[in-house]
């Protein structure tokens, strides 16, 4: 019988572009799912380091203007080449449901399920790697992924 698992397409080095210290320009949609185009812009800083024999990393983000800190724990699964991304922040002090995916064609795409104001949503993270200015985008879907609304953008700039 053939193994039904897909070929491994990811690598434990997929997020190496993000290791280091960063300044972040955040743009967060002020009102979701109402057709708004009003964005809140605010700065943050981040430090990303490897863990678990280089098969994971942690991103610690400080957002003083908004009064919170957050972290993302990223874990590589060598069995299928996927990554699971787990977010927590000082407002909730709990891990949010993970998004899971992989890098393909130079971009990372990750999906998960969560709630937004008590309403179930599908979540999508898009990573565009770059040694100097990586980009991250978060989008939510209320219709199972048929349509998406991007609600948070982050542009990273390497700190010296």
């Amino acid at each position: 019988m053939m193994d039904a698992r897909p070929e491994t397409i990811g690598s434990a080095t997929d997020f190496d572009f993000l290791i280091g210290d960063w300044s972040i320009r955040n743009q967060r949609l002020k009102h979701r799912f109402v057709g708004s185009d009003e964005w809140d812009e605010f700065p943050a800083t981040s430090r990303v380091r490897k863990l678990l024999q280089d098969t994971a990393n942690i991103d610690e983000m400080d957002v003083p203007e908004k009064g919170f800190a957050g972290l993302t724990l990223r874990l590589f699964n060598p069995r299928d080449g996927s990554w699971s991304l787990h977010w927590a922040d000082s407002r909730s002090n709990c891990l949010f449901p993970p998004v899971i995916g992989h890098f393909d064609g130079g971009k990372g795409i990750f999906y998960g399920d969560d709630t937004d104001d008590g309403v179930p949503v599908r979540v999508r993270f898009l990573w565009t790697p770059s040694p100097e200015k990586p980009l991250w985008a978060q989008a939510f879907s209320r219709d199972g992924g048929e349509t998406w609304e991007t609600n948070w953008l982050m542009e990273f700039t390497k700190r010296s």
Side-chain angles (χ1 to χ4, degrees):
M1 179 176 243
M2 291 186 56
D3 189 347
R5 290 181 304 171
E7 285 186 40
T8 299
I9 56 175
S11 163
T13 62
D14 286 338
F15 276 102
D16 279 4
F17 68 90
L18 202 54
I19 304 303
D21 295 333
W22 301 91
S23 295
I24 305 169
R25 178 178 168 241
N26 289 274
Q27 293 176 285
R28 188 171 55 189
L29 195 60
K30 287 186 176 184
H31 309 285
R32 291 185 294 275
F33 297 112
V34 294
S36 175
D37 62 358
E38 244 187 298
W39 294 83
D40 186 20
E41 188 171 323
F42 54 94
T45 58
S46 177
R47 172 168 283 163
V48 184
R49 61 188 169 89
K50 290 187 174 191
L51 300 167
L52 301 175
Q53 298 179 323
D54 297 340
T55 62
N57 64 63
I58 192 162
D59 177 344
E60 298 175 273
M61 185 170 76
D62 189 30
V63 191
E65 187 176 300
K66 297 297 180 184
F68 75 94
L71 66 83
T72 302
L73 174 63
R74 298 177 188 89
L75 301 167
F76 178 68
N77 181 341
R79 291 171 297 287
D80 66 6
S82 69
W83 284 87
S84 59
L85 285 56
H86 306 261
W87 168 256
D89 62 48
S90 60
R91 297 171 296 195
S92 66
N93 286 328
C94 67
L95 282 174
F96 284 63
V99 294
I100 299 171
H102 63 273
F103 283 83
D104 191 18
K107 300 227 185 236
I109 187 162
F110 308 88
Y111 293 99
D113 294 303
D114 204 342
T115 59
D116 179 49
D117 289 330
V119 177
V121 292
R122 190 86 174 123
V123 179
R124 181 184 69 199
F125 289 2
L126 296 176
W127 272 104
T128 304
S130 165
E132 296 300 321
K133 285 204 181 273
L135 300 172
W136 172 84
Q138 173 182 273
F140 288 169
S141 173
R142 285 188 173 170
D143 58 15
E146 293 294 316
T147 60
W148 294 93
E149 179 181 75
T150 299
N151 59 53
W152 199 333
L153 303 167
M154 293 181 7
E155 180 182 275
F156 291 71
T157 303
K158 194 69 120 172
R159 294 171 57 189
S160 50

